[in-house]
Amino acid sequence: MLEKEFRNEDPSGKIIVLASFIVSLMGGGALAVKIGLQGFPPLKMALFRCILGIIAVGGIGLYYGMSMRMRFEELRRLLLIAALYALHTITLNIGTQLTTASRATIFFYLYPFFTVLFGHFYLPNDRLSATKTVGIFIAFGGVFLSLMPNLQGLSTGYLIGDLMVTLGSCFLGLRITLTKVFVQEIHPYRLLVWLLGLNIPCFYVLGLIFEGDKPIGWTLESTAGLLYQGWIITGFCFLVLTSLLRKYKASKLVILGFLMPVSGVLFSHLILGEELTVGLLAGTGLVATGIYLVNRQS
C-alpha cells in the first residue's frame, strides 16, 4: 500500500535552486549558534529554539487552517522522530565540546552518507548507484578540502568527540529517512510542531539538571543568534525542506547539505571578516560537482 502511494520524484531544476537557497540560509546556523552561545547555555538555547520554532510553524499552519491535533496512530512515529531529534542535538553539542569546530563540521557532514545508506533499504526507488556514490564522495571531499587547514593534524585527543559527532550525524541521517516515510501520511506542519513540542520538556528538564546555575544573557547579539535559529532555520528552513522531502527523493535533496559549511564560511567572511582561502574556493567547486552528479537525470 505504501509503495503505491509513496511519492519519490526526481527534483526539477527549480526545486534544486530553492533547496540550495534554503540550505545556504541554514549554513548561517553555525554562526548563529556561536553568537547565541555568548548569552545562552546550550540546552537552554535548544529549548528556546524549539519554542520559537513552534510559534513559527504552528502559526503558519493555523493561518492556513490546518489541524495540529495528534492522531493516536501517529503517536509512536512522532515519539521516534522527536527522540532522534533530541539524540542528534545532544550528541552533536557534547561531541563538539570535546573536539574542534572544524573536526566537528567534517564528521557532522557524514550525515548524507547515512541518509543515502538508510534510504537504500527503506525508501522505494531511491537506491544507491555508482554515480550517486561518487557524487557524494566528491562533495564530501570538497567540504574536507575547505576545512583541512583547521583540522589540527591527526591527533587522537579528539577521538571521543569525533565519535560522538559521527553518532549524531547517524541519528540525523536516520531521522531524515524516517521523516521521508512518515511525512507521506503526517502533514509536514503537524510533524514539525510535535517534533519540537515533544522536545520542549526534554530540553527543559536537562537544562534544569545540567545548567540550572548558568545565567542567561539577553544581549542584542545573542538574541539575534537565537531568533535566527528559531525562526529562520527551524521555523522556515525546516518547514520548506520537510515539505520538499514529502515529494522528492531524499538522496537528491540531502546532497545539497554539503553547501551548508561553504555558505557558513561565506557568512563568517561577510559578518566577521574571516579570510577566504583557495582551499575553500576549490572545495566549493567539488561540492557543486558532487551535487550535479547526484542530481543528474539518467
Side-chain angles (χ1 to χ4, degrees):
M1 182 67 178
L2 182 60
E3 293 271 353
K4 294 179 181 179
E5 299 179 352
F6 202 90
R7 285 171 286 184
N8 213 21
E9 302 175 13
D10 290 315
S12 64
K14 291 182 179 179
I15 295 299
I16 292 175
V17 171
L18 172 62
S20 298
F21 170 70
I22 296 299
V23 166
S24 297
L25 288 178
M26 294 178 68
L31 179 59
V33 169
K34 183 176 181 180
I35 295 174
L37 286 173
Q38 296 176 6
F40 297 91
L43 291 171
K44 291 181 180 178
M45 187 166 67
L47 170 65
F48 285 118
R49 174 175 173 167
C50 287
I51 294 173
L52 290 173
I54 281 188
I55 293 173
V57 177
I60 295 172
L62 292 175
Y63 176 80
Y64 286 109
M66 296 177 183
S67 173
M68 297 298 161
R69 183 176 61 85
M70 183 195 297
R71 300 168 185 168
F72 179 75
E73 62 271 17
E74 297 172 350
L75 177 59
R76 287 193 300 176
R77 287 174 287 179
L78 291 172
L79 284 173
L80 177 57
I81 288 290
L84 288 172
Y85 178 84
L87 289 170
H88 151 66
T89 302
I90 293 169
T91 52
L92 178 62
N93 287 352
I94 296 176
T96 300
Q97 291 179 335
L98 298 176
T99 187
T100 66
S102 294
R103 293 172 71 97
T105 301
I106 287 291
F107 289 103
F108 171 73
Y109 283 99
L110 289 171
Y111 83 86
F113 292 95
F114 289 114
T115 304
V116 173
L117 181 61
F118 289 129
H120 179 77
F121 296 102
Y122 288 105
L123 303 179
N125 194 29
D126 202 358
R127 302 293 186 248
L128 278 170
S129 66
T131 302
K132 187 182 293 185
T133 303
V134 170
I136 292 174
F137 272 104
I138 289 176
F140 181 75
V143 174
F144 186 85
L145 181 62
S146 301
L147 299 174
M148 185 171 58
N150 302 319
L151 293 184
Q152 301 184 13
L154 299 175
S155 172
T156 58
Y158 303 114
L159 181 61
I160 294 178
D162 294 343
L163 290 175
M164 290 199 70
V165 174
T166 302
L167 181 62
S169 69
C170 180
F171 286 135
L172 177 58
L174 181 58
R175 179 170 68 83
I176 292 173
T177 303
L178 293 181
T179 297
K180 170 67 181 177
V181 176
F182 296 162
V183 83
Q184 302 300 312
E185 300 177 2
I186 306 174
H187 196 279
Y189 288 81
R190 190 163 70 250
L191 185 145
L192 278 177
V193 162
W194 283 102
L195 181 152
L196 297 169
L198 291 171
N199 273 287
I200 286 178
C202 172
F203 289 128
Y204 177 75
V205 172
L206 291 175
L208 286 179
I209 295 174
F210 296 105
E211 299 173 352
D213 58 343
K214 295 182 180 180
I216 295 176
W218 292 94
T219 66
L220 180 62
E221 292 81 7
S222 64
T223 303
L226 175 63
L227 290 175
Y228 190 92
Q229 296 175 63
W231 282 345
I232 301 300
I233 296 181
T234 306
F236 176 63
C237 296
F238 277 16
L239 182 57
V240 174
L241 288 178
T242 303
S243 299
L244 293 177
L245 198 62
R246 193 180 198 186
K247 184 176 181 181
Y248 300 105
K249 290 183 178 179
S251 63
K252 296 197 172 188
L253 292 177
V254 78
I255 185 68
L256 299 172
F258 286 120
L259 289 171
M260 288 187 203
V262 175
S263 62
V265 174
L266 292 176
F267 273 115
S268 298
H269 169 69
L270 294 174
I271 297 175
L272 301 179
E274 295 184 0
E275 182 182 0
L276 292 178
T277 64
V278 175
L280 172 66
L281 299 177
T284 303
L286 288 177
V287 170
T289 302
I291 290 172
Y292 167 76
L293 288 175
V294 171
N295 283 282
R296 185 178 63 177
Q297 304 297 329
S298 58

